[in-house]
Amino acid sequence: MAVVSPTSFITPSSGADYGRKSTISFTSSFSSTLILRFPPNFVRQLSTKARRNCSNIGVAQIVAASWSDRQAPLDTPPSATAGAEVAPVVVGGDDTAVGSGSGSKGNGVVSKLVQSPASLALGSFLSSDGSLVVHAGERIGRGITTDSITTPVVNTSAYWFNNSEELIDFKEGRHASYEYGRYGNPTTKVLEEKMNALERAESTVFVASGMYASVAMFLALVPAGGHIVTTTDCYRKTRIFIQNELPKMGITVTVIDPADMDSLERALNENDVSVFFTESPTNPFLRCVDIALVSELCHSKGAVVCIDGTFASPVNQKALTFGADLVLHSATKFIAGHNDVLGGCISGSEKLISKIRQYHHVVGGVLNPNAAYLISRGMKTLHLRVQHQNNTALRMAQFLEEHPKIVQVYYPGLLSHPEHHIAKRQMTGFGGVVSFEVAGDLRSTMKFVDSLKIPYLAPSFGGVESIVDQPAIMSYWDLPQAERLKYGIKDNLVRFSFGVEDFDDLKADIIQALDQI
C-alpha cells in the first residue's frame, strides 16, 4: 500500500456499495492524484480502529469520517452504486482545513459529504418498522463519530469553523457541518433520518411542536391569495389558525366532509387549490380519508396533499406510500410516546421539505436537541407500544359498543365506522384512541370521567399512560353548547387514549366508572 506523507490531502470519493472495494483518492506533495482501492469491509474496520488509535490526520481518520456520513434511502439497492465511477475531489495546499462529516479540525484535508458505503446496505438488513425505529439513523449513517450506542445530545447554539476557507467550503457545499443552531443539529439530524426511514420519505424536518409544523407547512406552501381545502373534523387549534390567521393573507378555504369526494372535486375545479390538508384519522371522531383517491384528484389539478397522521402513527399508516405528498405528525403523541416532550415533524419529498425548511430557518420554532434525544429514544419502542395500544383499543371499542350505557363508539376498527373499509385498506392497525358517547348529559359524563382511576384527565394522547378527556370541557368549553354542536361535540362525548397498561385492568376501571352513573 502507498505511504501517505504528512502533507498528503485525502478525501473520500466513492459511494460504492459495502460489499465492493472502497475507493479513496489523494494528492500528495510529491505526486499527482492517486486512487487507492481497499478490500471489502475495510471502511468499517479501519474507522473503528481509527477512533481509538489514531492521533494524527491520516487515511484512517478520513475513512472514519466518511463512514459516519449520511445513510442512503431505504429503496437504494446494493447494486445501484456497484461499479460507479469515482469522482475524486482534488484539494489544495497545506493551509486547507479539515472538512470531514465528523467535524474534526486540523490541516491537510477537505472533503465533500458522500454516502457511506455501509449505509447503502441499510435496507438489506433493516426491513421492518421494528428494526428501523431502533437502528435507522444510528446503526449506520450517524453523522457523529462515537463509540456510544446511543446518539449524544449536542447542546450548542452555533458551530465553529477552522478558518475562512473552510467556511467558504461549507457555504459552497464542499464541507459537511452546521452553522447555527436554528439551521440544524446533529442530534436532531439523527431523528430526522429515523423518520425518513419509517415514513419512506426523502426528507424530514423536525420542529418544536405539531401545531408549528402545520403552520410552517401552510405558510411555506400556500401563496398570499391562495386557496386550501380541509375537512370538518380536525384539531381545533388547526381550525382556528385556518379560520382566523390565513384570511389575513388573503387565503381562502373550502371545508368538506372527510368522505365527500364530490365536494373535493368541485373545490378543485372552482379554485386554484394549493394544498389539501386533513387528519386521517381525524380528531376526535377518527374519520378516515381515502388517501389514494384524494391524492389522485388533487394531483390532477396540481394541488399538494398533506396528511396529518398523528392519530395513526407511522407504524399503522404510511401516507406517502398511498400518494400523499407530505405527512405531518405531532411527535408529542405516539412517536415520542411518554408524555414528556413536545415536537412535530413533516416528511415528504426533498423539494417540498426544502421549502418548509427554508421558512422554518427564518421563523424559528426549533426543536431543542434534548427534546430530539427524548423523541428518538421514545421512537425505539414505538412499534411495541402501538401494537399493544392497537390491540387494547380495538378490544375496548368492541366491548364499549355492546355496553348498555354507551350510545355511540367512534373507532375505525369497528365495522360500524363509516370509513372502516378505507381504514382497513390503508392502515395496518387502527390506533390507540377510542371516542364514545356515554348515555347521559354533561354532568353524568363528568361523573364517569371523574370515577376513572387509571387514566389521567389531560389534553393529549398516544403516551404510555392512559389519558381521558371530555372534549366539550377540555377543548370547547369557551363555546356555548349550540356552537359546540356545530362541530359535533356533544356534552357526553369522551375521548380515551389507551396506554400500555393491562387490558383487563383498564376494562375493570371503565366498568366500575360506568356503574357510577
Side-chain angles (χ1 to χ4, degrees), residues 392-503:
T392 297
L394 177 58
R395 294 172 64 190
M396 202 68 75
Q398 293 168 339
F399 160 72
L400 290 169
E401 195 169 43
E402 300 298 323
H403 198 284
K405 292 186 178 179
I406 300 298
V407 177
Q408 180 74 42
V409 180
Y410 304 94
Y411 187 69
L414 295 177
L415 292 173
S416 59
H417 189 279
E419 286 89 43
H420 174 71
H421 62 292
I422 295 174
K424 190 175 179 180
R425 183 169 64 246
Q426 65 190 27
M427 300 179 73
T428 57
F430 303 111
V433 178
V434 178
S435 294
F436 53 92
E437 293 169 1
V438 176
D441 57 10
L442 179 73
R443 289 291 171 181
S444 58
T445 305
M446 289 170 57
K447 186 175 183 180
F448 163 72
V449 170
D450 292 343
S451 298
L452 291 166
K453 299 177 181 179
I454 293 178
Y456 290 92
L457 175 57
S460 193
F461 61 90
V464 293
E465 296 92 356
S466 290
I467 286 178
V468 67
D469 77 86
Q470 193 172 349
I473 299 175
M474 184 66 73
S475 302
Y476 290 86
W477 194 241
D478 59 314
L479 298 179
Q481 185 185 47
E483 288 295 311
R484 296 198 296 264
L485 288 173
K486 290 181 180 180
Y487 302 109
I489 307 298
K490 299 179 181 179
D491 289 345
N492 62 343
L493 179 66
V494 174
R495 191 185 71 178
F496 204 123
S497 171
F498 293 99
V500 298
E501 300 95 344
D502 183 77
F503 171 81

Side-chain angles (χ1 to χ4, degrees), residues 352-394:
L352 289 175
I353 296 300
S354 64
K355 292 180 180 180
I356 299 170
R357 196 185 299 274
Q358 185 177 14
Y359 171 86
H360 168 59
H361 287 175
V362 172
V363 175
V366 180
L367 184 70
N368 184 284
N370 294 280
Y373 172 82
L374 287 173
I375 296 171
S376 181
R377 184 180 66 172
M379 282 185 70
K380 294 182 181 184
T381 59
L382 176 63
H383 62 300
L384 301 175
R385 291 184 282 104
V386 168
Q387 288 168 9
H388 182 89
Q389 290 165 307
N390 287 341
N391 181 60
T392 297
L394 177 58

Side-chain angles (χ1 to χ4, degrees), residues 63 172 273 279 308 407 412:
V63 175
E172 296 181 356
V273 177
E279 302 162 6
D308 184 334
V407 177

Side-chain angles (χ1 to χ4, degrees), residues 44 47-48 51-52 67-68 134-154 187 190 194 373 376-377 380:
R44 182 168 182 178
S47 65
T48 299
R51 291 196 304 273
R52 294 170 180 163
W67 180 47
S68 68
V134 176
H135 294 299
E138 297 185 271
R139 181 66 170 171
I140 292 177
R142 181 163 55 191
I144 308 172
T145 301
T146 174
D147 288 331
S148 170
I149 292 175
T150 57
T151 296
V153 180
V154 180
T187 308
V190 166
K194 195 179 290 291
Y373 172 82
S376 181
R377 184 180 66 172
K380 294 182 181 184

Side-chain angles (χ1 to χ4, degrees), residues 61-336:
Q61 289 174 309
I62 305 310
V63 175
S66 76
W67 180 47
S68 68
D69 284 342
R70 295 174 296 189
Q71 66 184 44
L74 283 175
D75 56 357
T76 304
S79 60
T81 53
E85 291 186 10
V86 176
V89 180
V90 181
V91 296
D94 289 345
D95 58 347
T96 304
V98 172
S100 72
S102 61
S104 54
K105 304 286 177 178
N107 291 331
V109 183
V110 63
S111 67
K112 184 175 181 180
L113 188 65
V114 296
Q115 286 183 341
S116 158
S119 72
L120 298 178
L122 177 64
S124 65
F125 69 94
L126 298 180
S127 58
S128 68
D129 285 349
S131 297
L132 290 172
V133 294
V134 176
H135 294 299
E138 297 185 271
R139 181 66 170 171
I140 292 177
R142 181 163 55 191
I144 308 172
T145 301
T146 174
D147 288 331
S148 170
I149 292 175
T150 57
T151 296
V153 180
V154 180
N155 279 316
T156 186
S157 60
Y159 305 84
W160 64 283
F161 296 88
N162 200 52
N163 53 41
S164 296
E165 289 297 329
E166 183 178 84
L167 176 57
I168 292 173
D169 287 335
F170 168 77
K171 293 291 186 179
E172 296 181 356
R174 294 183 298 276
H175 172 65
S177 186
Y178 299 86
E179 180 181 355
Y180 187 58
R182 196 167 76 245
Y183 309 149
N185 178 279
T187 308
T188 305
K189 180 63 176 176
V190 166
L191 179 59
E192 290 172 343
E193 293 294 344
K194 195 179 290 291
M195 185 56 70
N196 283 344
L198 200 55
E199 284 287 12
R200 313 299 192 259
E202 289 181 357
S203 185
T204 293
V205 57
F206 261 85
V207 295
S209 71
M211 188 64 227
Y212 174 81
S214 298
V215 170
M217 183 276 297
F218 282 126
L219 297 185
L221 300 182
V222 183
H227 192 87
I228 68 169
V229 179
T230 190
T231 54
T232 50
D233 192 31
C234 68
Y235 176 50
R236 190 185 175 202
K237 292 299 189 294
T238 303
R239 182 189 295 119
I240 290 173
F241 177 78
I242 290 173
Q243 292 177 338
N244 297 352
E245 301 303 321
L246 290 184
K248 296 177 182 178
M249 292 165 279
I251 296 172
T252 54
V253 58
T254 297
V255 181
I256 65 171
D257 183 89
D260 191 350
M261 294 299 99
D262 290 338
S263 292
L264 174 59
E265 287 191 85
R266 187 161 50 252
L268 290 168
N269 290 330
E270 296 176 356
N271 304 278
D272 183 11
V273 177
S274 299
V275 171
F276 172 81
F277 173 79
T278 187
E279 302 162 6
S280 188
T282 61
N283 181 17
F285 295 109
L286 306 170
R287 301 289 302 276
C288 295
V289 171
D290 188 331
I291 300 172
L293 179 56
V294 163
S295 299
E296 180 182 351
L297 293 174
C298 290
H299 292 163
S300 70
K301 297 294 184 178
V304 170
V305 175
C306 180
I307 302 295
D308 184 334
T310 300
F311 272 81
S313 88
V315 171
N316 285 333
Q317 177 179 278
K318 301 186 190 303
L320 301 181
T321 67
F322 289 93
D325 301 291
L326 297 169
V327 59
L328 182 151
H329 292 279
S330 170
T332 308
K333 312 304 192 298
F334 286 104
I335 291 173

